[in-house]
Amino acid sequence: KMGFKYAVVGFDASDTTDLTACCALMMRPKDSRIYAAHMVWVTEASLKAREIAGDRRGRDAMPYDKWIARALMRVSPGNIIDKRCAIPWLDELRNQHHIYSIMFGYDPWHLGRDNMPVMDAYKGFFGAQNCYEVRQGAQTLSQPMKELRAIYQANELVDNSNPIAEWCRSNVMVRTDVNGEIAPSKKDQDEHNRIDAFAAELDAWVVLKNHMDEYKQIIHWTAPDKGDEKPSET
């Protein structure tokens, strides 16, 4: 209903313990804000392990069952998440909401040369020329992290108050190197403080900012008029 047509996608893959997350960032003409849709995957085995152990708090002491019921999180069978899991979700964005995913940012650590079948699937979906490695060091992520923080502070990112995305953002600790550049890390180095939805969002932002002019041309960007009001969605 809001007229989104094209998305830039970030993907943070995992193996067994962490979550796997995907984030689609979108903009629309005459609107300076950035809109985010997230999806997160968890293994069935990790949920069953908590159930068998009698842990009523839920995995990571968070309401995963409620998030699954709200369709904010999906369960991957077995104990390993198929790293191609984002493709069916992106197909749904296209088929149900007419949003086309046109660029893909990913961490090459999990989707490198040893995962050629997975990368072939994403290159087939996006086109090889539209897939971009986002290396997870401070040299790549420092400035984009600072920009995202400014976007948050200005209330310029709209995600329908997605509780998983908010939780992951709250778990991010800033790691600073000797040059003053920053990169994300888990708060208190606690493995239960998941940051995967933020990592996917950051990867998407790196690609979007690097191709902002091209993206604005694709969506036929028009600068906001002084009299234009921002939409009320939050």
Side-chain angles (χ1 to χ4, degrees), residues 51-67:
E51 183 179 344
I52 293 172
D55 188 347
R56 296 184 178 180
R57 298 177 304 165
R59 188 175 189 261
D60 302 322
M62 299 303 291
Y64 280 35
D65 56 341
K66 294 181 179 179
W67 292 342

Side-chain angles (χ1 to χ4, degrees), residues 120-138:
D120 286 345
Y122 284 106
K123 288 179 180 179
F125 187 89
F126 288 92
Q129 73 278 11
N130 297 315
C131 295
Y132 302 94
E133 292 186 356
V134 181
R135 299 194 175 275
Q136 301 299 292

Side-chain angles (χ1 to χ4, degrees), residues 22-23 26 55 63 87 92 99 118 134 136 141 150 157 164 169 182 223 225:
C22 190
C23 175
M26 298 160 283
D55 188 347
I87 293 177
E92 291 174 19
I99 297 172
V118 174
V134 181
Q136 301 299 292
L141 300 180
L157 189 140
I164 304 175
R169 294 183 196 115
I182 64 174
D225 297 327

